[in-house]
Amino acid sequence: MSQAPEVSRGPVVTPVRVVIALCLVAPFVAMLWVGSYAKTDPTFIGIPFFYWYQMLWVLISTVLTMIAYKLWQLDQRARTAEKGGASQ
């Protein structure tokens, strides 16, 4: 019987992937921790804190998701180049 060649891969959990996970988990933690923003003061242009804080996290989540996506692309390109394959 022939033996299958061993595929040498880098570590699955890399620092870049940890940063990606943190970028994606941060909005969930911020929104699930309701006690931190369940108040009316300070108001911003007449809008209670409870509402503008959540709307701010929509923007922050967008930025964090974009960062995670770009980091993922860089990680995938690095892994492809490490294997010696052509990058996409």
Side-chain angles (χ1 to χ4, degrees), residues 14-84:
T14 62
V16 173
R17 290 185 178 192
V18 171
V19 171
I20 291 169
L22 290 175
C23 285
L24 296 175
V25 169
F28 288 103
V29 172
M31 290 293 94
L32 290 175
W33 186 21
V34 179
S36 69
Y37 63 92
K39 52 190 172 185
T40 57
D41 290 328
T43 59
F44 178 68
I45 40 178
I47 302 171
F49 180 75
F50 181 80
Y51 294 112
W52 69 258
Y53 178 81
Q54 292 178 60
M55 291 300 110
L56 180 63
W57 269 101
V58 170
L59 299 175
I60 293 170
S61 298
T62 302
V63 171
L64 289 175
T65 303
M66 288 173 32
I67 291 169
Y69 177 69
K70 292 298 181 182
L71 287 174
W72 180 256
Q73 284 182 326
L74 289 173
D75 185 56
Q76 291 305 305
R77 285 186 192 137
R79 290 174 69 85
T80 303
E82 185 180 281
K83 291 180 187 177

